[in-house]
Amino acid sequence: MESQLNVNRLFAYELSLLDDTDTTREDDAVAECVSSLVASFNGADFQAVFDCDYVKELFVKVSEEEGTILDEVVGQRLKRFLAGPDDDGGKRSEKYFILLLLGASALQLFVLRNFASYCFAHFSGLIPVISDAEEYARDQLTIDGLLISDNARNPEYLWFSTLLFGFVGQPISTVCWWQLRYLFIHQQTLEDRSPKLYDAICIQIGKLQELEQHFSSDVRVRLHFEISRVKLYYYQVVDAAVHLTKAQNTAKLDLDFTGVLGKRTKFQQKDVAQLVARVLDCEFSRSGESVVDVDYSCMLPKNIALNDEVRLETMSLADPSVVQLPSLNPIEQALHIGLCLLTAKNSPSSELKDEEMMQFVANVLSEPKCWSVQMTALLLRSRLEGNHRRTVERAMMQMQVLVDQYRRDDASAKFRLQLIYISCLPASWVLEAELAQLFCKMGAINSGLDIFLDLCMWDEVIECYHSLHRKEKAEAVIRDQLAIKETPVLWCHLGDATDNPQYYLKAWEMSGRRLARAQKSLGMRLFQKKKYEESIPHFEKCVEVNSLQLEAWSCLAFASMQAEKWELAANAYRRCTYLESENHEVWNNLANVYLKLKDKDRAWRTLQEAIRCSYEDWRIWENYLLVSLDCRAFSEVIKAYHRLIDLKGKHVDTEVLSLLVKSVTKNAADYQGKPMSVLQPKLAELFGRITASVTNNGDVWKLYADLISSNSDRVDDLKKTLQFLNRAHRCFSQTTNWERDNSCCETVLDLSSRLAEACLKLASLGSMESLSSVKLALNSTIVRIKRYESQTALEPIPESTEKLLTGLESKLEQITDVLKSASTN
C-alpha cells in the first residue's frame, strides 16, 4: 500500500513546480532521483533534467526497429517505464510525478524559446528523440484547420509536453494545471481562436477549481490570475473580472483611483487635479519574501526616458506624501498588469480609460523587479503612447529595446521564466510585429515591411506593398512562398493580393473544408462591396467551422440586418454578445433586431445591457426611453429622460411627455399592473428640471399644467396650474401672427379658457389676486382675434374657433362680474 507520507511529499513537489519554491529536504521520503530532478527544474537546468540517468533511456533517438510513428514509439517507451520491475504503488506515483516534471520541462523549454527568446547551447538537441521532429510536431499541433505559427520555434517541445502529460495518472493532481498552461500556450501560437482548445481549457479549469481548497494563498492567486487571463483572451470579460477579483482579494491588494494636485508639464504654473492609482493595502507583499533575486535587476529591459521639451517624465505632485506607493512584490505588480488589460477590454475607448491604464503601468514601472512583468509593463505603455504625437517616438524606441531583449543572453533562464504565465507577456513575434506596425504608423513603411517579411506575416506584407503602390510585388512574394510549399493559408494570402475569389475556394478545398479564414475572406470580399445577401452563406460556413470568429459573427449579423433576415441577425448578434459581452453597439443592434421582430420585451432588456456597457451614450438612452414607453415601463421612461438631460443639458420630447401625463391623469397601469398615479411626484420633478432649462416651450408648460391639475382640489396645486397655464399662454401668444393660423389660434383660445376656469375656481376658494392679470390676458386675446376677423371679413373663421371665442367671452364676463362684486364688498 502506498505511503501517505510519499503522497504528501509528492504533492508538495507538485506545488513547488508551480510556484518556483524549493521543497527538498535531507530526510525526504521521496526517492533521491525525484529530489534531484525537482532541484534542476526549479533552477531552470533543463539539460540536467533530461540527462538524468533514471530517464535518459526514454529520450534516445528512435531506432528503425521501433517504428516510424513517433508518438507511438514514445508511447511504448513511456508504458514500459511505468510498468518497470519496481511496479509497486509508491514507485508508480514517483514515476507519474517524473513524467509530469518532464512534460513541464518540455513546456518550459518551448516558453523560454518563444516567449522569453532564451536559447540554450544545442537547444534543439536537448531531447534527442524529438530532435528531428519539428515538421511532425507542426502537423500534430494543427487543430480546427489552424496551423501553428511559422515563427514558433521548436514546436516539438510543445507537442512532446502534452504527450507526456497524457500518461500522468493519480495521485498526481496538478497535471490539469500544466495541461491548462499547455493549451493556452498552444492557442497563442495559432492565428485564430480554436473552439476545441477552448472546450479543453474549460475542462481543465473545472478540475482546478475542485483542487483550489488544497492550495495555499499564493498558489490560489496564481491560479485565479491564470484563469482570468485565459477567460479574457476568449472574450469572457465578466468571468475574467470575477477571477481577477478573487486573485486580488486573496493577495490582499486593495487599490483605487483618486485625484491629487500636481503638474504634468515643465511650464505648468498651477497645480491641477491628476488621476493616480493609489494602493491602500498590500498585506500579501509584506507576508513573504520577493520571488526575484536582486542580483538580476541589471538584466531588466531599459526604461527609455521621455526627454520631451514640454512634458515631465513623471507627474510632479504638490504633496507626494498624499500618495505613497508601498513596495510591491512581482505578483502584485502582475496583478496591476491584469487590471490594466481588464480595463482595456471592459471599458469603451476614452481618454479616461487610457489614463487609468497608464496609472496601473506607472505603479509597476516605479520599482522594476521581474523580467517578464517589466517587459509587459513597458509594452503596455508603448501601446498607449503610440497613439499620441508627443510620445510616439519614445514608444517606438521602447519597442525596439524590448525586441532587442530577445537577442540578449545575459539573463538566466530562471530569471526570464519567473511569473511568465501570469505576466501576460505575448510571444516574441507579436512584439516584433507591433514594432513593425509602429514603423508603418510613423511612415517608415519599408522598415516595417522588412520585419513583416522576416516574420512571414503575409497579410501585413500585402498591406505594406499596397501602401507603397507595389501590388504586383505582393503577388510575387506570395507566389514565391507557394513555390516552396503550398498551404491553404498561403492560397488565402494570394487571394488577398490579387482579389481573386478562386484562390480562396482552392484554400477551402485544400484544407478539407476546415479553414474558416477562406470562407471569411470570401464573405468579406462581398461584404465590402455591399453585396450583403450574397456574403451571408460564406459567413455561415466560417462560423460553422470556427464559432469563435467574432468578426465573422459581427459581419454576419450586419449583413442579415441589411437583408432583413431578422431571425438570423438576432442569432448572430447573440453570439457576438457571448464573445464580447461589453460591446454596447452589439447590444444596441440586437435590441433593434428584436424590435423588428416585434419582441419589445426582449429589446427592452437588451437595451439595459447596452446601457450597462456604455452609460454615457445618449443615443442608447433615447432608444431605451422609447422602448420603455412601448413596454409601459413608465418609471424607466422617467429615469431615462433624467439621464438624457444629464448627458445633453436639455432635452424636449413633447410626444413622450404627453403620453406620460395622459397615463398619470388617467391612472393607467404600468407593465407590472401598478397604478401610474404613484409616479405623479416623480413626473412633476422631471417637468421641473425640463422647465428650468427650457422656458419658451408652450407645449411643455401646458403639459405641466395638465399634470398638476390632476390634484385640482388643493389650492396650492390650483395656483401652480394657473401659473403654468399663464406661462403656456404667454409662449403661444408671443408667436408671430398666431391668430392667422387656425390650429395655433384654437390652442391659444383653449389655454385662455382653461386659464379663466382656473382663475374662477381659485376665486371661489377666496384667492382673488390673479383675476386682474388674467382678465387683461383674455381681453388681449379676444381683441387680437376680432381685429383679424375685421381684416378678413370675406373669409369667415371656422365654426370651432367661433365657438371657443364665444365661450371665452362668456368667461371674461364672469371674471369681470367677480371683480365688480369684490370691489363693492
Side-chain angles (χ1 to χ4, degrees):
M1 182 134 182
E2 186 174 346
S3 166
Q4 186 61 39
L5 177 61
N6 219 28
V7 173
N8 292 339
R9 292 301 303 142
L10 281 174
F11 186 67
Y13 276 138
E14 289 181 60
L15 296 181
S16 77
L17 302 186
L18 294 168
D19 62 7
D20 309 321
T21 56
D22 187 4
T23 61
T24 57
R25 298 188 308 193
E26 292 183 3
D27 60 343
D28 207 325
V30 182
E32 182 181 351
C33 171
V34 173
S35 303
S36 174
L37 286 170
V38 171
S40 298
F41 180 91
N42 287 335
D45 187 359
F46 301 113
Q47 186 159 4
V49 170
F50 291 105
D51 283 346
C52 175
D53 291 336
Y54 190 57
V55 298
K56 195 170 184 178
E57 290 301 315
L58 288 171
F59 309 121
V60 296
K61 276 188 170 291
V62 178
S63 63
E64 292 183 3
E65 294 78 13
E66 288 183 289
T68 57
I69 302 176
L70 188 58
D71 54 348
E72 292 183 2
V73 172
V74 176
Q76 289 299 322
R77 290 184 181 181
L78 294 176
K79 288 177 182 177
R80 288 196 297 271
F81 172 73
L82 291 172
D86 298 317
D87 191 19
D88 61 81
K91 287 294 183 181
R92 178 174 284 270
S93 296
E94 291 173 17
K95 289 178 179 180
Y96 280 144
F97 177 77
I98 288 171
L99 291 185
L100 172 69
L101 186 145
L102 293 172
S105 298
L107 182 62
Q108 296 281 70
L109 285 170
F110 182 80
V111 171
L112 266 174
R113 194 78 173 96
N114 293 278
F115 289 78
S117 280
Y118 188 90
C119 186
F120 294 102
H122 312 297
F123 194 97
S124 298
L126 282 178
I127 309 178
V129 70
I130 59 170
S131 57
D132 300 321
E134 179 174 339
E135 288 304 316
Y136 179 82
R138 288 187 181 277
D139 291 339
Q140 294 297 308
L141 292 169
T142 299
I143 186 169
D144 286 327
L146 300 170
L147 303 177
I148 190 171
S149 171
D150 292 334
N151 297 297
R153 290 161 289 188
N154 299 100
E156 62 272 19
Y157 290 131
L158 184 63
W159 165 77
F160 195 57
S161 69
T162 187
L163 184 64
L164 290 167
F165 291 147
F167 281 87
V168 178
Q170 290 295 331
I172 306 303
S173 55
T174 59
V175 64
C176 55
W177 197 330
W178 285 103
Q179 286 176 321
L180 172 64
R181 288 177 170 180
Y182 152 75
L183 289 165
F184 190 48
I185 293 297
H186 186 182
Q187 173 62 81
Q188 292 178 81
T189 64
L190 303 176
E191 65 177 10
D192 215 332
R193 290 164 178 79
S194 163
K196 287 183 180 178
L197 285 182
Y198 179 63
D199 291 341
I201 281 171
C202 290
I203 292 171
Q204 303 308 323
I205 288 175
K207 293 178 181 178
L208 278 168
Q209 289 175 323
E210 293 176 3
L211 290 174
E212 182 183 352
Q213 59 183 326
H214 302 296
F215 296 148
S216 62
S217 59
D218 57 338
V219 176
R220 289 202 304 273
V221 170
R222 295 174 186 241
L223 171 63
H224 287 296
F225 199 162
E226 288 189 39
I227 294 174
S228 172
R229 185 186 174 201
V230 172
K231 290 289 187 179
L232 196 62
Y233 185 87
Y234 284 103
Y235 308 114
Q236 304 301 304
V237 179
V238 175
D239 288 347
V242 169
H243 284 284
L244 190 60
T245 301
K246 287 182 179 179
Q248 188 180 345
N249 292 339
T250 305
K252 299 179 181 178
L253 178 65
D254 186 13
L255 53 83
D256 69 355
F257 288 103
T258 188
V260 295
L261 293 176
K263 300 183 180 73
R264 280 186 179 271
T265 66
K266 297 176 180 179
F267 307 107
Q268 192 173 333
Q269 299 296 316
K270 183 180 178 182
D271 291 316
V272 295
Q274 308 289 346
L275 182 71
V276 294
R278 178 177 56 176
V279 178
L280 303 176
D281 193 12
C282 54
E283 293 180 16
F284 188 69
S285 64
R286 297 193 291 273
S287 65
E289 297 294 328
S290 169
V291 298
V292 178
D293 190 331
V294 294
D295 293 337
Y296 292 136
S297 59
C298 61
M299 304 173 192
L300 291 165
K302 181 182 178 182
N303 185 349
I304 300 296
L306 182 59
N307 292 329
D308 186 68
E309 66 274 12
V310 175
R311 289 193 182 185
L312 293 168
E313 185 69 31
T314 58
M315 279 188 295
S316 175
L317 301 181
D319 183 3
S321 63
V322 175
V323 184
Q324 290 186 333
L325 184 68
S327 179
L328 302 172
N329 73 17
I331 291 180
E332 290 164 338
Q333 290 184 337
L335 283 170
H336 276 71
I337 297 294
L339 290 167
C340 179
L341 292 172
L342 182 64
T343 301
K345 286 279 190 180
N346 204 22
S347 306
S349 298
S350 65
E351 291 184 9
L352 178 60
K353 182 186 84 169
D354 291 348
E355 189 60 34
E356 289 178 353
M357 293 173 63
M358 190 65 82
Q359 293 312 307
F360 284 129
V361 172
N363 282 2
V364 177
L365 296 178
S366 64
E367 190 179 1
K369 290 183 177 179
C370 176
W371 184 85
S372 60
V373 174
Q374 182 75 357
M375 285 281 289
T376 308
L378 291 172
L379 170 62
L380 290 174
R381 189 185 68 182
S382 299
R383 288 174 179 171
L384 291 168
E385 292 186 341
N387 298 319
H388 299 282
R389 177 176 56 86
R390 288 200 168 275
T391 54
V392 65
E393 185 176 352
R394 197 254 290 265
M396 186 170 62
M397 294 170 63
Q398 187 68 71
M399 286 295 297
Q400 185 66 65
V401 168
L402 298 181
V403 170
D404 291 343
Q405 275 285 309
Y406 290 132
R407 302 186 178 99
R408 294 175 58 182
D409 57 3
D410 55 354
S412 72
K414 179 181 179 180
F415 183 53
R416 291 199 176 194
L417 277 175
Q418 283 166 340
L419 305 185
I420 193 80
Y421 295 104
I422 63 173
S423 66
C424 307
L425 183 65
S428 58
W429 62 86
V430 175
L431 262 71
E432 292 185 61
E434 291 198 31
L435 174 61
Q437 293 286 9
L438 267 178
F439 279 139
C440 294
K441 191 173 184 178
M442 293 285 287
I445 297 176
N446 282 310
S447 298
L449 175 60
D450 291 340
I451 296 175
F452 288 134
L453 284 169
D454 289 341
L455 296 175
C456 299
M457 291 187 168
W458 305 118
D459 279 333
E460 290 76 9
V461 167
I462 293 169
E463 187 177 338
C464 286
Y465 277 127
H466 284 191
S467 298
L468 294 169
H469 305 290
R470 298 176 63 189
K471 294 183 180 181
E472 71 288 345
K473 182 63 176 175
E475 180 182 354
V477 168
I478 303 301
R479 290 192 182 278
D480 289 344
Q481 294 299 315
L482 283 167
I484 298 170
K485 182 181 179 181
E486 290 190 8
T487 67
V489 174
L490 279 174
W491 281 110
C492 281
H493 290 311
L494 186 59
D496 295 339
T498 60
D499 193 29
N500 187 337
Q502 293 304 315
Y503 296 132
Y504 299 128
L505 293 172
K506 184 167 185 176
W508 176 246
E509 296 299 332
M510 188 177 181
S511 67
R513 302 192 172 193
R514 294 296 302 163
L515 184 62
R517 187 195 190 284
Q519 290 296 334
K520 178 181 172 183
S521 298
L522 285 167
M524 290 301 297
R525 184 175 178 273
L526 295 166
F527 186 88
Q528 290 165 359
K529 295 179 179 180
K530 298 186 178 182
K531 296 180 179 180
Y532 298 116
E533 191 154 5
E534 294 177 42
S535 71
I536 289 174
H538 297 293
F539 288 129
E540 287 182 311
K541 289 178 182 178
C542 173
V543 296
E544 182 181 350
V545 172
N546 187 339
S547 60
L548 297 178
Q549 294 268 339
L550 177 59
E551 186 181 13
W553 281 115
S554 298
C555 292
L556 174 60
F558 185 83
S560 301
M561 281 186 68
Q562 297 301 311
E564 298 186 0
K565 296 183 177 181
W566 305 117
E567 290 288 355
L568 181 59
N571 180 57
Y573 274 127
R574 279 194 295 268
R575 293 305 298 261
C576 290
T577 62
Y578 174 76
L579 294 173
E580 196 175 23
S581 61
E582 301 303 309
N583 189 327
H584 68 278
E585 292 180 353
V586 171
W587 288 108
N588 193 50
N589 289 340
L590 179 57
N592 289 334
V593 172
Y594 282 143
L595 288 175
K596 292 293 185 180
L597 291 169
K598 302 189 184 306
D599 193 344
K600 295 179 182 178
D601 289 339
R602 293 183 77 176
W604 181 58
R605 289 193 295 271
T606 302
L607 282 171
Q608 290 175 343
E609 291 295 323
I611 287 170
R612 178 183 61 80
C613 298
S614 183
Y615 201 71
E616 305 299 318
D617 192 329
W618 66 267
R619 297 172 186 83
I620 297 177
W621 279 104
E622 194 165 60
N623 290 343
Y624 183 61
L625 182 148
L626 297 174
V627 175
S628 296
L629 193 62
D630 280 346
C631 294
R632 303 185 68 81
F634 298 119
S635 61
E636 291 299 302
V637 175
I638 295 172
K639 173 186 172 182
Y641 210 118
H642 275 296
R643 186 59 187 154
L644 282 168
I645 295 173
D646 292 339
L647 295 172
K648 298 172 71 175
K650 59 176 70 174
H651 179 74
V652 176
D653 190 329
T654 53
E655 187 176 352
V656 170
L657 293 173
S658 176
L659 289 170
L660 284 173
V661 170
K662 188 180 295 184
S663 299
V664 169
T665 55
K666 292 185 176 181
N667 200 20
D670 67 4
Y671 74 106
Q672 294 178 321
K674 296 179 180 178
M676 266 293 286
S677 57
V678 299
L679 294 177
Q680 200 270 354
K682 291 185 177 180
L683 187 55
E685 180 185 350
L686 174 62
F687 270 102
R689 285 196 70 188
I690 296 171
T691 54
S693 57
V694 181
T695 60
N696 60 347
N697 191 309
D699 289 319
V700 173
W701 286 112
K702 180 175 178 290
L703 290 169
Y704 200 176
D706 293 341
L707 176 67
I708 301 301
S709 66
S710 60
N711 293 332
S712 56
D713 292 338
R714 296 172 52 188
V715 174
D716 289 342
D717 287 336
L718 284 171
K719 288 183 177 180
K720 287 183 180 178
T721 301
L722 183 64
Q723 178 188 349
F724 301 151
L725 286 170
N726 197 20
R727 296 292 295 269
H729 184 272
R730 193 180 308 162
C731 290
F732 280 109
S733 60
Q734 287 177 352
T735 304
T736 304
N737 296 326
W738 59 265
E739 69 278 8
R740 298 175 183 272
D741 182 276
N742 288 335
S743 175
C744 191
C745 181
E746 290 186 2
T747 299
V748 173
L749 285 170
D750 180 63
L751 280 171
S752 301
S753 180
R754 291 185 58 192
L755 194 61
E757 290 172 0
C759 182
L760 289 169
K761 194 164 188 176
L762 274 173
S764 67
L765 296 173
S767 179
M768 314 284 287
E769 60 269 17
S770 57
L771 283 170
S772 298
S773 60
V774 171
K775 178 185 175 183
L776 289 173
L778 299 185
N779 192 55
S780 174
T781 300
I782 293 171
V783 168
R784 190 163 177 176
I785 293 174
K786 289 191 171 183
R787 185 187 303 128
Y788 175 68
E789 282 184 6
S790 64
Q791 293 172 354
T792 57
L794 297 178
E795 297 181 17
I797 62 173
E799 184 179 345
S800 56
T801 304
E802 187 67 41
K803 185 176 180 180
L804 286 170
L805 181 60
T806 303
L808 184 60
E809 289 175 332
S810 174
K811 288 183 175 66
L812 178 59
E813 290 177 4
Q814 292 179 44
I815 291 174
T816 303
D817 292 341
V818 172
L819 282 172
K820 287 180 180 179
S821 176
S823 62
T824 57
N825 293 333

